[in-house]
Structure formats: structure tokens, C-alpha cells
Amino acid sequence: MSLTESMSEMRPFFEEKGKLMHGFRYERIRTSGAEINVAIGGEGPPLLLLHGNPLTHVSWHRISPALAKSFTVVAPDLRGYGDSSKPDGGDDHSAYSFRAMAQDNAEVMSHFGFEKFQVAGHDRGARAAFRMALDFPDRVERLASLDIVPTYHALTNVTLGWGLEAYHWFFMAQKAPFPEKLLTADLDYYIDYKLNKKGVGLEIFSPEAMAEYKRCTTPEQIHAVCEDYRATVSVDLAMDTADFGKRTINCPVLVLWGSNSHCGRHFAPLEAWRPWAPDMRGWAMPTGHYPAEQRPDLVYDAFWKFFNGQEPKAQT
């Protein structure tokens, strides 16, 4: 199916807020370290979609039905998030490293018989996809990243502006149970505050998606997310530091970010990605931190072209 035909047929999903993961079925897959809740739908080459924090797989609901017209779309909840299991992080928090998340999803794809696949990730999912491309270079054929710079760059180039907007990186990484006690005092307030990005607001989220995010914002998930951030500033940073200047991502990489996001305001994303991704292209989109929910038309256009082997260009 061509891009024009697919966009025309699926336009209602860009506009109708009542649809979540239309046409997808669900499986719960046991990996070597977790149980992963997975939505799968469509037909064609396999495409793995990895969500960010504090979201779940339904953050892809405005583009996944359209992508499923051309690809077999696999959209899991990361370990610790949504309806996936929340294993113990361990003394060094490594059970919530991006390596552990990458391993989970490599095993998920093997479960479905996909030894080679393409992957897109947003926020934490993009960091897991980054690690997956390094750890499984023979399996990841193309990588698209939404609104991040690599972890090594973010944590070695901390500025006042980014630190103020990305306060949760350092707050949630504090020793348990300090952040957990404060965040679980009022979970609805927390999730509303967390998603209400400067200059964007909550209006970009469908009521159904917001209800899912609130359903999944439990004390157990809050603890898992804190373990995720504790891993980031320790084992993840150590891995990336060891790899910096020594390993690169072999496959083509698409880097997209919101011009009105903390990533766009405080970093030069292409410069940050360049040491890691020799075969790279990308641009800013007129969005905040949640492009797939704010401008699904732009994200879909870029993804469809890139994952079909074309060279996408910025649209407005």
C-alpha cells in the first residue's frame, strides 16, 4: 500500500480520539527476565515500537493502525511499565537497564519469529532501542528515535535549563523509597503534572489514552520507573561510557525531536547522535515531547517512508 493510500484510509485514526490500538491482538510473553504485555497487529515486515515514560504501548495508538497496513507492528509495554511485569531491580538496578529492556524485546521479536526487524522508540523506548542496536547489530535493520539525545551525551552535558526541565532524572534516581513515597502521595496529580509539558498542555492526549496512563500509574509502576532512572545514572551510563568512541550503530538511523521539547530547547540532537550513528538523518518537528500523540500525521509520514527504505524529508 502506498503512503498516500494508507494515509487517506487511516486518516480517521489521526483524528478520532476514541480509538486505542484498533485491530491489534494481545499476548503476554515470558522473557528471560520479565513478562511482557504485547500488542501485535498488521502484516508485512516487522516493526517494533517502544514507548517512553510515563506512558505505555498505547502512546502509539494514533499511528499504529496506519503502520499496520504496511508492517507487522509489535508494541510492547516495557518491563516495569503498563501491564508488563515489574521485577526486582537488584542491588545495582541492572534489571531496569536499557540492556535488560533491549534483551526483553529481542526475545519478544524472536517469539514471533522475527530474527531481523526495524525499531522505533520514544523517550525511554528510544534509549532501549539505542542499546538494542548496539547489542544486536545483526538483528536491527533500521532505528528511528523520537525526542532524545543519547544518554551519554545528556548526562555529560547537563545545563541549568535542561536540568530544570528534566528534574525527574535526578529526583527519581534518589535512593528508595524517598521518591516513591512522595510521588505516590497523589498519583493523579503526579501524572497530570508529568504529562503537562510547557507550552503544550494535556489537550494533545485523548481521554482514553489519559485514562490508560492513570490506570497504570500505580505504586508498583512508580517504583519500577524509579529503578529505571537509578539504572540510567549508574549502569546505563557506565555501559555507554565504555562504548563511546569504540562502538557505533551500524544501521540507518532517523532522529526526530520536538522543537518545543526539553530535547529541542537544550540540545543539538544531530550533533549529539553523530558519534554514535554514522548513517543518520533527522530534523525537528513542531511539537513538544510527545510527537506521536501531538502530530501523528508527521510521525507517520516520516516512519512510513524511512521504514520502507526511502529518505524522508521534514514536513509541516
Side-chain angles (χ1 to χ4, degrees):
M1 179 176 289
S2 72
L3 173 62
T4 300
E5 292 170 334
S6 184
M7 290 193 73
S8 176
E9 181 175 338
M10 302 308 295
R11 191 169 302 281
F13 294 108
F14 297 148
E15 299 166 352
E16 185 178 344
K17 294 185 177 181
K19 300 288 186 181
L20 289 179
M21 306 305 291
H22 178 83
F24 280 65
R25 62 182 174 85
Y26 281 84
E27 289 193 29
R28 189 170 181 86
I29 298 170
R30 182 179 293 276
T31 70
S32 55
E35 292 184 4
I36 304 299
N37 178 55
V38 182
I40 180 170
E43 56 185 21
L47 174 59
L48 176 65
L49 301 180
L50 301 178
H51 68 85
N53 170 59
L55 312 176
T56 72
H57 74 281
V58 305
S59 63
W60 302 108
H61 75 102
R62 287 182 172 160
I63 65 170
S64 54
L67 288 169
K69 292 294 179 180
S70 302
F71 304 95
T72 301
V73 175
V74 180
D77 288 333
L78 297 174
R79 65 165 60 195
Y81 290 81
D83 291 317
S84 288
S85 68
K86 296 156 182 69
D88 183 84
D91 292 341
D92 64 352
H93 319 294
S94 61
Y96 284 90
S97 68
F98 297 124
R99 173 163 283 165
M101 294 179 186
Q103 181 69 39
D104 280 339
N105 288 291
E107 293 179 30
V108 164
M109 297 306 276
S110 293
H111 169 85
F112 290 117
F114 301 135
E115 290 309 308
K116 293 183 181 292
F117 52 88
Q118 303 181 101
V119 58
H122 166 246
D123 187 79
R124 312 307 282 179
R127 299 184 190 284
F130 170 94
R131 176 48 59 183
M132 179 179 281
L134 289 175
D135 286 359
F136 299 94
D138 295 332
R139 299 190 64 186
V140 177
E141 297 179 315
R142 283 181 173 243
L143 164 64
S145 164
L146 281 182
D147 213 57
I148 71 158
V149 295
T151 302
Y152 176 85
H153 186 89
L155 290 175
T156 57
N157 291 272
V158 176
T159 62
L160 175 61
W162 182 76
L164 287 173
E165 291 199 56
Y167 68 93
H168 58 287
W169 280 56
F170 309 104
F171 172 63
M172 298 182 89
Q174 297 302 306
K175 184 178 179 180
F178 173 61
E180 287 93 333
K181 281 186 174 292
L182 297 182
L183 293 175
T184 56
D186 190 334
L187 291 172
D188 280 353
Y189 176 82
Y190 161 71
I191 195 69
D192 283 343
Y193 185 87
K194 182 70 173 64
L195 291 173
N196 189 8
K197 297 301 185 185
K198 181 169 65 176
V200 179
L202 296 174
E203 293 76 15
I204 65 169
F205 300 104
S206 74
E208 293 79 12
M210 280 295 296
E212 268 297 281
Y213 302 148
K214 289 190 174 186
R215 179 184 71 82
C216 293
T217 302
T218 62
E220 294 76 17
Q221 176 165 295
I222 291 294
H223 175 63
V225 174
C226 289
E227 287 292 278
D228 175 358
Y229 282 90
R230 290 172 185 132
T232 300
V233 299
S234 55
V235 292
D236 286 318
L237 179 60
M239 286 181 218
D240 289 359
T241 300
D243 287 339
F244 186 70
K246 301 180 181 67
R247 300 176 68 192
T248 58
I249 295 171
N250 295 337
C251 67
V253 175
L254 174 64
V255 176
L256 303 173
W257 67 95
S259 57
N260 188 30
S261 77
H262 59 280
C263 182
R265 280 191 289 271
H266 303 294
F267 294 108
L270 294 182
E271 292 181 19
W273 274 90
R274 190 160 287 115
W276 297 98
D279 186 357
M280 178 188 62
R281 71 281 296 137
W283 59 85
M285 295 180 292
T287 71
H289 181 53
Y290 304 105
E293 294 187 90
Q294 186 177 358
R295 289 297 305 270
D297 55 328
L298 298 183
V299 176
Y300 174 76
D301 178 85
F303 278 12
W304 191 93
K305 290 174 180 172
F306 179 67
F307 290 124
N308 273 295
Q310 301 177 20
E311 283 295 338
K313 303 294 182 184
Q315 305 292 324
T316 59

